[in-house]
Amino acid sequence: MEDKTFCVHHPDVSHEGFASLTVPTYRASTIVFKDAQAYATRGQRGPDGYSYGLHGTPTTKTLEAQLNQLHRGAASVLLPSGQCAIAVTMLTALKPGDWVLVPETAYPPVLGFCRNFLAPLGISHTVYDPLVGAGIADLMSETVKLVWLESPGSTTMEVQDFAAIAAVAHDHGALVGCDNTYASPLLFKPLDHGADFAMEALTKWFSGHSDLLLGSVTVRDPELRLRLRDQMRMMGLGVSPDEAALVLRGMQTMAVRLSHSATIAERFARKMEPLFPAGSILHPALPSCPGHAFFKRDFAGPAGLFSVVLPEHSLPRLDAALDGLQVFRIGASWGGTSSLMAPMSVKGQRRLGATFDDTIILRLSIGMEDPDDLWADIERLTNTLQPMSEALQTVPE
Ligand SMILES: *Cc1c(COP(=O)(O)O)cnc(C)c1O
């Protein structure tokens, strides 16, 4: 053979004796077959076989298998982002004429997807109170085919009565999907509590370093896996093995990172409680958090983020307070090594009868910096935001 061919075909190199601890990054579009017969029968390889890079490589399948173990599920699929994992789950569970129930406290782009993407397809949605519990029965009908949960709620941290909601949904023949990004399977395993789809934004705790986007959905029912895979094949959705390899690396330290973030976040939440009006610190481990009893019942512990409802009188000083931060960075998301603060508006969202209208909620995500440096930053923030005397005057009787 000639040089041009040697440039294209590499010799086989022995893997004998090469036992690395890392999962290799296998890149591929084309998969080659050992003979004509193998090619002709490639359609019989099933969802576990290799047929084309888009549908999986040993790298992505290793991550899927690891997710199956953590979630005690039968199968997982990987999607390019958490939001994409939510979209694909909904498109798998719903067809025109169907209805989905979404908690008011869901990750906001979910409601955007329902309004702007599902509604024009003839798929309707109803927004429900996350604390509804078994009362979700009032919203059920024959056309409701999916009940979505996110617990604790994005930013506002309400904890849902998962088992009660899932039981009612199943009684009415609906599937149950859960955005488990706050907890990760280390703190809560949705499939054990009645979910059919356990969705994760691997972008957060799993990857752990704010440098990639990836989502996953884990199911127990092999039939749902096939439906997810069909949906993904139609839309040409797959993920890069590089992203999967980074998650495989990041998740090796997830338990330690999550535990550290959680410890510091809870300590800070408790220290901040007396500095703000009653009920201003939103953290599921605090008894004042709506659904706290369900948190204690269902979760192995809290994650490393919490929120602060800012007193209205402090809002004019918010920008100055954020600009004065020296360690926290200003930004959304969580689960990376950098601590973040993100001012969030939850305008119109109801909570225990009150409506968050002109309020800003500040969400804090704790990273890996020195806790004393972080606390000094929080003191700088609270001092600018609300001098102590003013804060005390606003505490309701
Ligand atoms: C970040 C996040 C998502 C979306 O994940 P991306 O990978 O950023 O698309 C979904 N749900 C929750 C609760 C999140 O925090």
Side-chain angles (χ1 to χ4, degrees), residues 27-79:
R27 313 185 55 84
S29 55
T30 298
I31 306 286
V32 289
F33 296 80
K34 76 174 190 323
D35 54 27
Q37 172 70 8
Y39 184 76
T41 55
R42 68 192 184 285
Q44 294 161 24
R45 289 186 166 193
D48 289 319
Y50 297 108
S51 55
Y52 191 52
L54 187 67
H55 309 313
T57 65
T59 312
T60 57
K61 281 184 191 290
T62 304
L63 177 53
E64 289 169 5
Q66 217 163 348
L67 285 161
N68 296 345
Q69 287 179 324
L70 284 169
H71 271 297
R72 295 200 270 264
S76 298
V77 295
L78 302 176
L79 284 311

Side-chain angles (χ1 to χ4, degrees), residues 79-86 105-110 148 150 152-155 179-182 199-204 212-215 305 332-334 363:
L79 284 311
S81 68
Q83 173 68 8
C84 182
I86 296 168
T105 46
Y107 177 65
V110 178
W148 192 250
E150 182 180 330
S154 258
T155 306
D179 182 338
N180 198 48
T181 303
Y182 168 92
M199 170 265 154
E200 301 282 350
L202 304 177
T203 308
K204 310 287 168 64
L212 64 89
L213 290 148
L214 211 64
L305 67 156
S333 195
W334 70 68
R363 194 176 68 201

Side-chain angles (χ1 to χ4, degrees), residues 179-253:
D179 182 338
N180 198 48
T181 303
Y182 168 92
S184 91
L186 295 178
L187 302 177
F188 184 76
K189 298 188 194 301
L191 301 182
D192 285 354
H193 297 263
D196 300 290
F197 300 99
M199 170 265 154
E200 301 282 350
L202 304 177
T203 308
K204 310 287 168 64
W205 299 119
F206 276 84
S207 81
H209 295 79
S210 314
D211 54 1
L212 64 89
L213 290 148
L214 211 64
S216 66
V217 186
T218 304
V219 295
R220 197 158 12 219
D221 178 357
E223 159 72 16
L224 289 180
R225 176 226 200 151
L226 295 180
R227 285 169 60 186
L228 285 164
R229 292 282 297 251
D230 279 347
Q231 196 64 233
M232 290 166 64
R233 198 168 48 249
M234 293 310 121
M235 295 196 282
L237 283 171
V239 305
S240 158
D242 293 308
E243 259 58 31
L246 284 171
V247 172
L248 284 164
R249 181 214 285 238
M251 71 187 285
Q252 294 178 42
T253 55

